[in-house]
Amino acid sequence: MLIIQHIWTKWTKRSRGANAPLRRPRLSEAYRLPEPRETEGVVRHEIRALESEDFALVEELGRVSRDDWERLQPYRDNALDWRLWHDRAEIIIRRPSEGRQQTKWPAHLPVPLFTLEDGETARIEWNGRFMSSMSGRNRASYYEQHVYWLAVIREPRARLFLDAKPKKTIDLRTEIY
């Protein structure tokens, strides 16, 4: 089973804290994993705090297919993809929202980025500034920050990512202001 803990936030200049008190919460580096009801496939544990939801901390857990994951695309800038076999997963990272992205991204990333075997964990971080409009009419920007914890494991435990010593740590963060 592949478990994805996706911790992310999305905001605009209004709440970034530059000239006003910071409204945007600082999310933890990792979270306790609720007991998944699923024991096969891919399980998504999402923790988010979005300006559009008044930065309420929202937590969701459930099985996710690659098609379901792609359908979440309009809701957030999705960079993660995978190929799953019984006891391993190939992890793929793609450029998020290429037409709207205003921040640096590596010119080339290998495909797959890496492979996780049974019992291994990994962490990927990225952030970005994006144009709110492709047409240029709305010149405002929005910002996103993402952390993906990934694990291929047969029996998940609550502290899986809190106690993890990742096989890989990928940092694709850049200056977004």
Side-chain angles (χ1 to χ4, degrees):
M1 159 174 34
L2 173 64
I3 298 178
I4 302 168
Q5 185 173 86
H6 184 195
I7 305 163
W8 71 289
T9 185
K10 181 177 182 177
W11 69 96
T12 64
K13 191 175 178 179
R14 285 191 314 258
S15 61
R16 77 175 191 194
N19 297 323
L22 183 66
R23 291 182 36 224
R24 181 170 45 93
R26 301 284 185 212
L27 299 178
S28 296
E29 295 288 316
Y31 286 83
R32 186 177 189 82
L33 186 65
E35 187 172 330
R37 293 176 293 263
E38 310 294 338
T39 58
E40 294 181 359
V42 181
V43 172
R44 172 186 69 109
H45 180 217
E46 181 175 292
I47 299 98
R48 69 177 183 264
L50 311 180
E51 182 177 345
S52 62
E53 298 173 346
D54 202 28
F55 294 112
L57 192 62
V58 176
E59 186 172 1
E60 295 177 350
L61 177 73
R63 190 172 183 170
V64 65
S65 69
R66 289 179 75 221
D67 288 342
D68 292 339
W69 184 261
E70 287 301 314
R71 276 194 284 279
L72 295 170
Q73 184 80 8
Y75 182 50
R76 59 177 155 71
D77 288 299
N78 198 355
L80 182 71
D81 197 2
W82 65 85
R83 290 185 204 122
L84 180 63
W85 286 271
H86 179 67
D87 59 348
R88 65 185 169 100
E90 291 181 347
I91 305 302
I92 301 160
I93 293 291
R94 296 193 174 98
R95 180 185 299 272
S97 296
E98 191 168 351
R100 294 189 329 229
Q101 191 171 12
Q102 297 175 304
T103 47
K104 291 180 186 178
W105 191 261
H108 172 75
L109 290 171
V111 176
L113 189 59
F114 57 84
T115 300
L116 284 178
E117 303 287 336
D118 186 33
E120 296 177 332
T121 61
R123 177 185 167 104
I124 302 171
E125 293 183 69
W126 70 271
N127 63 6
R129 181 179 66 238
F130 302 91
M131 292 183 287
S132 295
S133 167
M134 291 283 288
S135 67
R137 288 186 175 176
N138 182 351
R139 297 177 63 90
S141 297
Y142 66 92
Y143 309 88
E144 290 194 13
Q145 184 171 329
H146 296 258
V147 175
Y148 300 115
W149 277 100
L150 307 156
V152 173
I153 195 157
R154 293 171 200 219
E155 294 184 28
R157 34 185 212 290
R159 295 192 53 87
L160 176 64
F161 297 120
L162 292 169
D163 298 336
K165 299 210 182 331
K167 169 189 174 181
K168 290 278 188 185
T169 300
I170 308 292
D171 187 347
L172 300 172
R173 292 175 295 168
T174 187
E175 185 64 40
I176 59 178
Y177 296 118

